[in-house]
Amino acid sequence: MTTTVNGYFGAKILSPNTGIVLNNEMDDFSMPMKNVSKDVPPPAPANFIVPGKRPLSSMSPTIALKNGEVKAVVGASGGAMIIAATSEVLLNHFVKGLDPFSSLVPNVVYYENWTTVSGDHFELSADIRAALRSKGHVLQGLAGGTICQFILSDTYEHSGRNNDSGKLVAVSDPRKGGFPAGF
């Protein structure tokens, strides 16, 4: 499951009944006078703030079924990249036949250069970037991006092998600082 609080500690309000940090969904509305950059789409009039209105969202948590049985669950964070990432993970696994963790790895070469909340720094090394460029790849630096969590019923067929142990396989993108846990 993924949730949106839109910024560290969301609206900075803790529910007295549940102890849950309330989100800041106001951040998801478009603002008519907001600065527009080349990396951010222009404000959408359909998403302007109106009393009683909910902001538009790209949330797309997905449950994949086969013959009424859950085969996979996927969700992502990352704003405008959520829908593409969610779709890509499912296609990577079910169409391309990639294993669950490899399904999270994007097919386009963006290199990361950012530091997480916990202080971990992620950046593709300069020698690898140079080697990729020398082979004709176009690289683009990315601070952050979309991050997926993927849960798969391991009664799946992969690379011609049928695995039918009935257990769940969960992988979590390490850039988010979390890890799968369950019981």
Side-chain angles (χ1 to χ4, degrees):
M1 176 178 79
T2 61
T3 59
T4 295
V5 293
N6 281 351
Y8 301 119
F9 303 107
K12 298 178 179 67
I13 298 171
L14 189 69
S15 167
N17 296 334
T18 64
I20 295 173
V21 174
L22 300 180
N23 66 21
N24 180 12
E25 285 301 304
M26 292 302 292
D27 185 53
D28 283 347
F29 281 109
S30 294
M31 305 271 291
M33 303 305 283
K34 208 170 193 179
N35 291 337
V36 179
S37 74
K38 64 178 181 137
D39 298 325
V40 178
N47 199 34
F48 286 170
I49 298 171
V50 175
K53 183 178 179 183
R54 291 183 185 188
L56 300 176
S57 175
S58 58
M59 289 190 329
S60 53
T62 304
I63 300 172
L65 304 172
K66 182 175 180 182
N67 300 325
E69 296 289 323
V70 173
K71 292 299 171 187
V73 177
V74 64
S77 60
M81 295 185 254
I82 291 173
I83 295 170
T86 301
S87 301
E88 186 175 15
V89 167
L90 290 171
L91 290 171
N92 282 345
H93 179 73
F94 290 109
V95 175
K96 292 182 176 180
L98 298 178
D99 64 80
F101 188 76
S102 298
S103 296
L104 297 178
V105 179
N107 193 27
V108 176
V109 181
Y110 289 99
Y111 72 90
E112 295 178 293
N113 183 6
W114 65 297
T115 303
T116 66
V117 206
S118 60
D120 295 322
H121 184 75
F122 291 89
E123 181 178 12
L124 188 63
S125 66
D127 60 324
I128 293 175
R129 291 194 313 265
L132 289 169
R133 282 190 186 106
S134 74
K135 295 177 182 180
H137 293 285
V138 177
L139 302 178
Q140 183 176 347
L142 182 67
T146 189
I147 294 173
C148 284
Q149 280 48 254
F150 190 30
I151 303 168
L152 184 68
S153 167
D154 79 350
T155 59
Y156 62 92
E157 188 171 316
H158 176 67
S159 303
R161 300 184 321 245
N162 188 16
N163 182 356
D164 194 12
S165 68
K167 295 182 181 175
L168 297 176
V169 176
V171 291
S172 183
D173 197 316
R175 296 169 294 180
K176 187 78 174 196
F179 55 90
F183 51 90

mmCIF file of all heavy atoms in Angstrom, residues 100-143:
data_model
loop_
_atom_site.group_PDB
_atom_site.id
_atom_site.type_symbol
_atom_site.label_atom_id
_atom_site.label_comp_id
_atom_site.label_asym_id
_atom_site.label_seq_id
_atom_site.Cartn_x
_atom_site.Cartn_y
_atom_site.Cartn_z
ATOM 1 N N PRO A 100 10.423 -10.376 -9.930
ATOM 2 C CA PRO A 100 9.781 -9.243 -9.252
ATOM 3 C C PRO A 100 10.690 -8.038 -9.023
ATOM 4 O O PRO A 100 10.313 -6.916 -9.327
ATOM 5 C CB PRO A 100 9.297 -9.841 -7.930
ATOM 6 C CG PRO A 100 9.044 -11.271 -8.256
ATOM 7 C CD PRO A 100 10.117 -11.644 -9.245
ATOM 8 N N PHE A 101 11.909 -8.236 -8.518
ATOM 9 C CA PHE A 101 12.760 -7.080 -8.245
ATOM 10 C C PHE A 101 13.204 -6.399 -9.535
ATOM 11 O O PHE A 101 13.184 -5.176 -9.644
ATOM 12 C CB PHE A 101 13.980 -7.454 -7.397
ATOM 13 C CG PHE A 101 14.760 -6.254 -6.944
ATOM 14 C CD1 PHE A 101 14.293 -5.455 -5.916
ATOM 15 C CD2 PHE A 101 15.944 -5.915 -7.567
ATOM 16 C CE1 PHE A 101 14.986 -4.327 -5.506
ATOM 17 C CE2 PHE A 101 16.654 -4.788 -7.161
ATOM 18 C CZ PHE A 101 16.167 -4.000 -6.133
ATOM 19 N N SER A 102 13.570 -7.181 -10.544
ATOM 20 C CA SER A 102 13.991 -6.604 -11.822
ATOM 21 C C SER A 102 12.852 -5.857 -12.502
ATOM 22 O O SER A 102 13.094 -4.951 -13.293
ATOM 23 C CB SER A 102 14.519 -7.697 -12.755
ATOM 24 O OG SER A 102 15.648 -8.318 -12.188
ATOM 25 N N SER A 103 11.615 -6.211 -12.181
ATOM 26 C CA SER A 103 10.454 -5.531 -12.763
ATOM 27 C C SER A 103 10.373 -4.075 -12.337
ATOM 28 O O SER A 103 9.758 -3.259 -13.011
ATOM 29 C CB SER A 103 9.160 -6.241 -12.349
ATOM 30 O OG SER A 103 9.140 -7.544 -12.876
ATOM 31 N N LEU A 104 10.999 -3.730 -11.195
ATOM 32 C CA LEU A 104 10.966 -2.355 -10.704
ATOM 33 C C LEU A 104 11.930 -1.447 -11.444
ATOM 34 O O LEU A 104 11.798 -0.233 -11.405
ATOM 35 C CB LEU A 104 11.307 -2.298 -9.213
ATOM 36 C CG LEU A 104 10.370 -3.013 -8.249
ATOM 37 C CD1 LEU A 104 10.906 -2.868 -6.833
ATOM 38 C CD2 LEU A 104 8.966 -2.485 -8.342
ATOM 39 N N VAL A 105 12.932 -2.031 -12.077
ATOM 40 C CA VAL A 105 13.988 -1.240 -12.714
ATOM 41 C C VAL A 105 13.469 -0.674 -14.037
ATOM 42 O O VAL A 105 13.040 -1.413 -14.904
ATOM 43 C CB VAL A 105 15.236 -2.111 -12.959
ATOM 44 C CG1 VAL A 105 16.335 -1.312 -13.638
ATOM 45 C CG2 VAL A 105 15.725 -2.700 -11.642
ATOM 46 N N PRO A 106 13.493 0.640 -14.203
ATOM 47 C CA PRO A 106 12.966 1.230 -15.431
ATOM 48 C C PRO A 106 13.794 0.879 -16.657
ATOM 49 O O PRO A 106 14.981 0.614 -16.557
ATOM 50 C CB PRO A 106 13.006 2.737 -15.157
ATOM 51 C CG PRO A 106 13.905 2.915 -14.009
ATOM 52 C CD PRO A 106 13.973 1.623 -13.264
ATOM 53 N N ASN A 107 13.145 0.877 -17.819
ATOM 54 C CA ASN A 107 13.786 0.524 -19.073
ATOM 55 C C ASN A 107 14.527 1.713 -19.681
ATOM 56 O O ASN A 107 15.258 1.551 -20.639
ATOM 57 C CB ASN A 107 12.729 -0.006 -20.041
ATOM 58 C CG ASN A 107 13.337 -0.681 -21.238
ATOM 59 O OD1 ASN A 107 14.436 -1.195 -21.168
ATOM 60 N ND2 ASN A 107 12.642 -0.660 -22.348
ATOM 61 N N VAL A 108 14.332 2.895 -19.178
ATOM 62 C CA VAL A 108 14.979 4.099 -19.688
ATOM 63 C C VAL A 108 16.106 4.459 -18.740
ATOM 64 O O VAL A 108 15.968 4.331 -17.532
ATOM 65 C CB VAL A 108 13.963 5.260 -19.776
ATOM 66 C CG1 VAL A 108 14.640 6.544 -20.215
ATOM 67 C CG2 VAL A 108 12.830 4.884 -20.703
ATOM 68 N N VAL A 109 17.234 4.940 -19.289
ATOM 69 C CA VAL A 109 18.368 5.260 -18.440
ATOM 70 C C VAL A 109 18.281 6.700 -17.953
ATOM 71 O O VAL A 109 18.608 7.635 -18.654
ATOM 72 C CB VAL A 109 19.714 5.029 -19.180
ATOM 73 C CG1 VAL A 109 20.884 5.360 -18.261
ATOM 74 C CG2 VAL A 109 19.810 3.605 -19.663
ATOM 75 N N TYR A 110 17.762 6.839 -16.743
ATOM 76 C CA TYR A 110 17.849 8.095 -16.018
ATOM 77 C C TYR A 110 18.855 7.810 -14.925
ATOM 78 O O TYR A 110 18.839 6.742 -14.338
ATOM 79 C CB TYR A 110 16.517 8.451 -15.346
ATOM 80 C CG TYR A 110 15.424 8.853 -16.287
ATOM 81 C CD1 TYR A 110 14.458 7.938 -16.675
ATOM 82 C CD2 TYR A 110 15.352 10.153 -16.765
ATOM 83 C CE1 TYR A 110 13.442 8.312 -17.536
ATOM 84 C CE2 TYR A 110 14.339 10.527 -17.627
ATOM 85 C CZ TYR A 110 13.390 9.605 -18.006
ATOM 86 O OH TYR A 110 12.404 9.984 -18.849
ATOM 87 N N TYR A 111 19.739 8.728 -14.645
ATOM 88 C CA TYR A 111 20.633 8.453 -13.527
ATOM 89 C C TYR A 111 20.257 9.365 -12.364
ATOM 90 O O TYR A 111 19.853 10.495 -12.546
ATOM 91 C CB TYR A 111 22.119 8.584 -13.902
ATOM 92 C CG TYR A 111 22.604 9.988 -14.120
ATOM 93 C CD1 TYR A 111 23.127 10.728 -13.060
ATOM 94 C CD2 TYR A 111 22.541 10.568 -15.367
ATOM 95 C CE1 TYR A 111 23.576 12.012 -13.252
ATOM 96 C CE2 TYR A 111 22.991 11.863 -15.572
ATOM 97 C CZ TYR A 111 23.507 12.576 -14.512
ATOM 98 O OH TYR A 111 23.945 13.850 -14.698
ATOM 99 N N GLU A 112 20.349 8.796 -11.191
ATOM 100 C CA GLU A 112 19.925 9.511 -9.990
ATOM 101 C C GLU A 112 21.092 10.220 -9.329
ATOM 102 O O GLU A 112 22.211 9.728 -9.340
ATOM 103 C CB GLU A 112 19.305 8.530 -9.003
ATOM 104 C CG GLU A 112 18.027 7.926 -9.542
ATOM 105 C CD GLU A 112 17.449 6.922 -8.601
ATOM 106 O OE1 GLU A 112 18.080 5.876 -8.422
ATOM 107 O OE2 GLU A 112 16.378 7.196 -8.043
ATOM 108 N N ASN A 113 20.784 11.344 -8.769
ATOM 109 C CA ASN A 113 21.755 12.106 -8.004
ATOM 110 C C ASN A 113 20.979 12.819 -6.904
ATOM 111 O O ASN A 113 20.592 13.960 -7.054
ATOM 112 C CB ASN A 113 22.488 13.113 -8.896
ATOM 113 C CG ASN A 113 23.551 13.869 -8.126
ATOM 114 O OD1 ASN A 113 23.825 13.575 -6.967
ATOM 115 N ND2 ASN A 113 24.145 14.849 -8.767
ATOM 116 N N TRP A 114 20.718 12.099 -5.838
ATOM 117 C CA TRP A 114 19.944 12.681 -4.740
ATOM 118 C C TRP A 114 20.229 11.961 -3.445
ATOM 119 O O TRP A 114 20.732 10.853 -3.429
ATOM 120 C CB TRP A 114 18.463 12.685 -5.071
ATOM 121 C CG TRP A 114 17.794 11.357 -5.223
ATOM 122 C CD1 TRP A 114 18.064 10.388 -6.154
ATOM 123 C CD2 TRP A 114 16.724 10.831 -4.439
ATOM 124 N NE1 TRP A 114 17.221 9.322 -5.999
ATOM 125 C CE2 TRP A 114 16.384 9.558 -4.944
ATOM 126 C CE3 TRP A 114 16.008 11.321 -3.357
ATOM 127 C CZ2 TRP A 114 15.375 8.778 -4.413
ATOM 128 C CZ3 TRP A 114 14.994 10.538 -2.830
ATOM 129 C CH2 TRP A 114 14.695 9.294 -3.356
ATOM 130 N N THR A 115 19.895 12.622 -2.374
ATOM 131 C CA THR A 115 20.103 12.080 -1.040
ATOM 132 C C THR A 115 18.748 11.886 -0.377
ATOM 133 O O THR A 115 17.907 12.776 -0.388
ATOM 134 C CB THR A 115 20.968 13.036 -0.204
ATOM 135 O OG1 THR A 115 22.198 13.248 -0.914
ATOM 136 C CG2 THR A 115 21.275 12.459 1.157
ATOM 137 N N THR A 116 18.534 10.698 0.201
ATOM 138 C CA THR A 116 17.260 10.375 0.840
ATOM 139 C C THR A 116 17.164 11.026 2.211
ATOM 140 O O THR A 116 18.141 11.568 2.724
ATOM 141 C CB THR A 116 17.090 8.849 1.004
ATOM 142 O OG1 THR A 116 18.076 8.382 1.921
ATOM 143 C CG2 THR A 116 17.235 8.131 -0.324
ATOM 144 N N VAL A 117 15.996 10.925 2.801
ATOM 145 C CA VAL A 117 15.756 11.484 4.125
ATOM 146 C C VAL A 117 16.707 10.869 5.147
ATOM 147 O O VAL A 117 17.146 11.532 6.078
ATOM 148 C CB VAL A 117 14.312 11.201 4.603
ATOM 149 C CG1 VAL A 117 13.854 12.235 5.595
ATOM 150 C CG2 VAL A 117 13.352 11.075 3.473
ATOM 151 N N SER A 118 17.018 9.593 4.972
ATOM 152 C CA SER A 118 17.885 8.908 5.933
ATOM 153 C C SER A 118 19.363 9.204 5.697
ATOM 154 O O SER A 118 20.218 8.713 6.421
ATOM 155 C CB SER A 118 17.654 7.400 5.872
ATOM 156 O OG SER A 118 17.944 6.918 4.571
ATOM 157 N N GLY A 119 19.691 10.016 4.656
ATOM 158 C CA GLY A 119 21.075 10.386 4.400
ATOM 159 C C GLY A 119 21.775 9.532 3.363
ATOM 160 O O GLY A 119 22.920 9.788 3.011
ATOM 161 N N ASP A 120 21.121 8.475 2.862
ATOM 162 C CA ASP A 120 21.728 7.647 1.825
ATOM 163 C C ASP A 120 21.785 8.435 0.526
ATOM 164 O O ASP A 120 20.824 9.091 0.140
ATOM 165 C CB ASP A 120 20.914 6.370 1.603
ATOM 166 C CG ASP A 120 20.925 5.454 2.812
ATOM 167 O OD1 ASP A 120 21.980 5.361 3.463
ATOM 168 O OD2 ASP A 120 19.880 4.841 3.094
ATOM 169 N N HIS A 121 22.921 8.370 -0.149
ATOM 170 C CA HIS A 121 23.088 9.092 -1.413
ATOM 171 C C HIS A 121 23.072 8.088 -2.561
ATOM 172 O O HIS A 121 23.740 7.067 -2.509
ATOM 173 C CB HIS A 121 24.393 9.880 -1.424
ATOM 174 C CG HIS A 121 24.547 10.713 -2.662
ATOM 175 N ND1 HIS A 121 23.847 11.875 -2.847
ATOM 176 C CD2 HIS A 121 25.277 10.523 -3.773
ATOM 177 C CE1 HIS A 121 24.149 12.392 -4.024
ATOM 178 N NE2 HIS A 121 25.025 11.576 -4.600
ATOM 179 N N PHE A 122 22.289 8.384 -3.587
ATOM 180 C CA PHE A 122 22.187 7.523 -4.757
ATOM 181 C C PHE A 122 22.627 8.300 -5.986
ATOM 182 O O PHE A 122 22.088 9.367 -6.270
ATOM 183 C CB PHE A 122 20.746 7.040 -4.961
ATOM 184 C CG PHE A 122 20.292 6.079 -3.905
ATOM 185 C CD1 PHE A 122 19.697 6.541 -2.743
ATOM 186 C CD2 PHE A 122 20.469 4.725 -4.069
ATOM 187 C CE1 PHE A 122 19.281 5.657 -1.767
ATOM 188 C CE2 PHE A 122 20.065 3.829 -3.099
ATOM 189 C CZ PHE A 122 19.471 4.297 -1.941
ATOM 190 N N GLU A 123 23.622 7.766 -6.667
ATOM 191 C CA GLU A 123 24.068 8.372 -7.915
ATOM 192 C C GLU A 123 24.810 7.313 -8.715
ATOM 193 O O GLU A 123 25.653 6.596 -8.183
ATOM 194 C CB GLU A 123 24.981 9.562 -7.653
ATOM 195 C CG GLU A 123 25.440 10.234 -8.923
ATOM 196 C CD GLU A 123 26.306 11.458 -8.663
ATOM 197 O OE1 GLU A 123 26.732 11.659 -7.512
ATOM 198 O OE2 GLU A 123 26.541 12.197 -9.615
ATOM 199 N N LEU A 124 24.504 7.217 -9.980
ATOM 200 C CA LEU A 124 25.219 6.320 -10.870
ATOM 201 C C LEU A 124 26.638 6.852 -11.005
ATOM 202 O O LEU A 124 26.842 8.047 -11.219
ATOM 203 C CB LEU A 124 24.517 6.286 -12.235
ATOM 204 C CG LEU A 124 25.004 5.262 -13.236
ATOM 205 C CD1 LEU A 124 24.773 3.851 -12.707
ATOM 206 C CD2 LEU A 124 24.283 5.452 -14.559
ATOM 207 N N SER A 125 27.622 5.985 -10.876
ATOM 208 C CA SER A 125 29.010 6.443 -10.882
ATOM 209 C C SER A 125 29.386 7.081 -12.221
ATOM 210 O O SER A 125 28.837 6.737 -13.273
ATOM 211 C CB SER A 125 29.964 5.289 -10.562
ATOM 212 O OG SER A 125 29.908 4.331 -11.596
ATOM 213 N N ALA A 126 30.335 7.996 -12.171
ATOM 214 C CA ALA A 126 30.758 8.746 -13.352
ATOM 215 C C ALA A 126 31.310 7.824 -14.435
ATOM 216 O O ALA A 126 31.070 8.048 -15.625
ATOM 217 C CB ALA A 126 31.800 9.790 -12.957
ATOM 218 N N ASP A 127 32.040 6.766 -14.055
ATOM 219 C CA ASP A 127 32.598 5.874 -15.071
ATOM 220 C C ASP A 127 31.508 5.093 -15.803
ATOM 221 O O ASP A 127 31.594 4.872 -17.013
ATOM 222 C CB ASP A 127 33.648 4.933 -14.467
ATOM 223 C CG ASP A 127 33.107 4.035 -13.359
ATOM 224 O OD1 ASP A 127 32.244 4.491 -12.584
ATOM 225 O OD2 ASP A 127 33.572 2.881 -13.267
ATOM 226 N N ILE A 128 30.457 4.706 -15.093
ATOM 227 C CA ILE A 128 29.343 4.008 -15.758
ATOM 228 C C ILE A 128 28.588 4.969 -16.662
ATOM 229 O O ILE A 128 28.220 4.620 -17.791
ATOM 230 C CB ILE A 128 28.407 3.352 -14.721
ATOM 231 C CG1 ILE A 128 29.144 2.218 -13.999
ATOM 232 C CG2 ILE A 128 27.134 2.841 -15.393
ATOM 233 C CD1 ILE A 128 28.373 1.581 -12.875
ATOM 234 N N ARG A 129 28.374 6.204 -16.204
ATOM 235 C CA ARG A 129 27.709 7.203 -17.056
ATOM 236 C C ARG A 129 28.514 7.428 -18.331
ATOM 237 O O ARG A 129 27.969 7.475 -19.426
ATOM 238 C CB ARG A 129 27.497 8.512 -16.296
ATOM 239 C CG ARG A 129 26.470 8.408 -15.179
ATOM 240 C CD ARG A 129 26.023 9.761 -14.646
ATOM 241 N NE ARG A 129 27.060 10.712 -14.364
ATOM 242 C CZ ARG A 129 27.619 10.906 -13.175
ATOM 243 N NH1 ARG A 129 27.225 10.203 -12.126
ATOM 244 N NH2 ARG A 129 28.552 11.824 -13.003
ATOM 245 N N ALA A 130 29.838 7.547 -18.198
ATOM 246 C CA ALA A 130 30.703 7.757 -19.363
ATOM 247 C C ALA A 130 30.641 6.568 -20.313
ATOM 248 O O ALA A 130 30.575 6.733 -21.539
ATOM 249 C CB ALA A 130 32.142 8.006 -18.913
ATOM 250 N N ALA A 131 30.653 5.349 -19.762
ATOM 251 C CA ALA A 131 30.584 4.143 -20.606
ATOM 252 C C ALA A 131 29.260 4.081 -21.357
ATOM 253 O O ALA A 131 29.234 3.740 -22.549
ATOM 254 C CB ALA A 131 30.779 2.894 -19.741
ATOM 255 N N LEU A 132 28.163 4.419 -20.684
ATOM 256 C CA LEU A 132 26.858 4.412 -21.358
ATOM 257 C C LEU A 132 26.803 5.467 -22.464
ATOM 258 O O LEU A 132 26.309 5.208 -23.562
ATOM 259 C CB LEU A 132 25.739 4.638 -20.342
ATOM 260 C CG LEU A 132 25.469 3.478 -19.391
ATOM 261 C CD1 LEU A 132 24.543 3.919 -18.262
ATOM 262 C CD2 LEU A 132 24.890 2.295 -20.138
ATOM 263 N N ARG A 133 27.328 6.658 -22.182
ATOM 264 C CA ARG A 133 27.346 7.725 -23.201
ATOM 265 C C ARG A 133 28.192 7.308 -24.402
ATOM 266 O O ARG A 133 27.841 7.587 -25.542
ATOM 267 C CB ARG A 133 27.866 9.025 -22.599
ATOM 268 C CG ARG A 133 26.842 9.738 -21.763
ATOM 269 C CD ARG A 133 27.315 11.151 -21.373
ATOM 270 N NE ARG A 133 26.379 11.759 -20.470
ATOM 271 C CZ ARG A 133 26.571 11.928 -19.164
ATOM 272 N NH1 ARG A 133 27.693 11.531 -18.600
ATOM 273 N NH2 ARG A 133 25.648 12.481 -18.414
ATOM 274 N N SER A 134 29.322 6.637 -24.144
ATOM 275 C CA SER A 134 30.202 6.215 -25.243
ATOM 276 C C SER A 134 29.522 5.188 -26.147
ATOM 277 O O SER A 134 29.908 5.027 -27.298
ATOM 278 C CB SER A 134 31.512 5.651 -24.693
ATOM 279 O OG SER A 134 31.304 4.367 -24.137
ATOM 280 N N LYS A 135 28.497 4.514 -25.634
ATOM 281 C CA LYS A 135 27.743 3.545 -26.432
ATOM 282 C C LYS A 135 26.522 4.170 -27.088
ATOM 283 O O LYS A 135 25.697 3.473 -27.669
ATOM 284 C CB LYS A 135 27.318 2.366 -25.550
ATOM 285 C CG LYS A 135 28.492 1.563 -25.044
ATOM 286 C CD LYS A 135 28.057 0.457 -24.121
ATOM 287 C CE LYS A 135 29.283 -0.281 -23.613
ATOM 288 N NZ LYS A 135 28.938 -1.360 -22.703
ATOM 289 N N GLY A 136 26.386 5.504 -26.936
ATOM 290 C CA GLY A 136 25.299 6.195 -27.605
ATOM 291 C C GLY A 136 24.055 6.417 -26.762
ATOM 292 O O GLY A 136 23.063 6.939 -27.260
ATOM 293 N N HIS A 137 24.079 6.023 -25.505
ATOM 294 C CA HIS A 137 22.916 6.239 -24.652
ATOM 295 C C HIS A 137 22.789 7.710 -24.272
ATOM 296 O O HIS A 137 23.775 8.380 -24.018
ATOM 297 C CB HIS A 137 22.996 5.396 -23.374
ATOM 298 C CG HIS A 137 22.895 3.936 -23.620
ATOM 299 N ND1 HIS A 137 21.709 3.324 -23.935
ATOM 300 C CD2 HIS A 137 23.838 2.968 -23.617
ATOM 301 C CE1 HIS A 137 21.911 2.029 -24.098
ATOM 302 N NE2 HIS A 137 23.203 1.791 -23.919
ATOM 303 N N VAL A 138 21.567 8.175 -24.221
ATOM 304 C CA VAL A 138 21.303 9.534 -23.754
ATOM 305 C C VAL A 138 20.889 9.410 -22.296
ATOM 306 O O VAL A 138 19.938 8.697 -21.974
ATOM 307 C CB VAL A 138 20.171 10.198 -24.571
ATOM 308 C CG1 VAL A 138 19.855 11.577 -24.032
ATOM 309 C CG2 VAL A 138 20.573 10.255 -26.045
ATOM 310 N N LEU A 139 21.607 10.088 -21.425
ATOM 311 C CA LEU A 139 21.341 10.008 -19.993
ATOM 312 C C LEU A 139 20.736 11.314 -19.516
ATOM 313 O O LEU A 139 21.042 12.380 -20.035
ATOM 314 C CB LEU A 139 22.629 9.741 -19.213
ATOM 315 C CG LEU A 139 23.392 8.481 -19.589
ATOM 316 C CD1 LEU A 139 24.656 8.377 -18.770
ATOM 317 C CD2 LEU A 139 22.544 7.253 -19.418
ATOM 318 N N GLN A 140 19.898 11.193 -18.521
ATOM 319 C CA GLN A 140 19.295 12.380 -17.923
ATOM 320 C C GLN A 140 19.335 12.232 -16.413
ATOM 321 O O GLN A 140 18.908 11.214 -15.871
ATOM 322 C CB GLN A 140 17.852 12.546 -18.398
ATOM 323 C CG GLN A 140 17.193 13.791 -17.869
ATOM 324 C CD GLN A 140 15.790 13.970 -18.431
ATOM 325 O OE1 GLN A 140 15.404 13.311 -19.374
ATOM 326 N NE2 GLN A 140 15.040 14.850 -17.828
ATOM 327 N N GLY A 141 19.866 13.254 -15.741
ATOM 328 C CA GLY A 141 19.915 13.237 -14.286
ATOM 329 C C GLY A 141 18.520 13.393 -13.706
ATOM 330 O O GLY A 141 17.674 14.081 -14.262
ATOM 331 N N LEU A 142 18.293 12.738 -12.598
ATOM 332 C CA LEU A 142 16.978 12.764 -11.973
ATOM 333 C C LEU A 142 17.154 12.807 -10.460
ATOM 334 O O LEU A 142 17.812 11.944 -9.886
ATOM 335 C CB LEU A 142 16.189 11.516 -12.377
ATOM 336 C CG LEU A 142 14.774 11.364 -11.876
ATOM 337 C CD1 LEU A 142 13.879 12.433 -12.492
ATOM 338 C CD2 LEU A 142 14.248 9.983 -12.226
ATOM 339 N N ALA A 143 16.593 13.807 -9.827
ATOM 340 C CA ALA A 143 16.608 13.884 -8.360
ATOM 341 C C ALA A 143 15.279 13.342 -7.872
ATOM 342 O O ALA A 143 14.270 14.017 -7.916
ATOM 343 C CB ALA A 143 16.813 15.314 -7.894
#
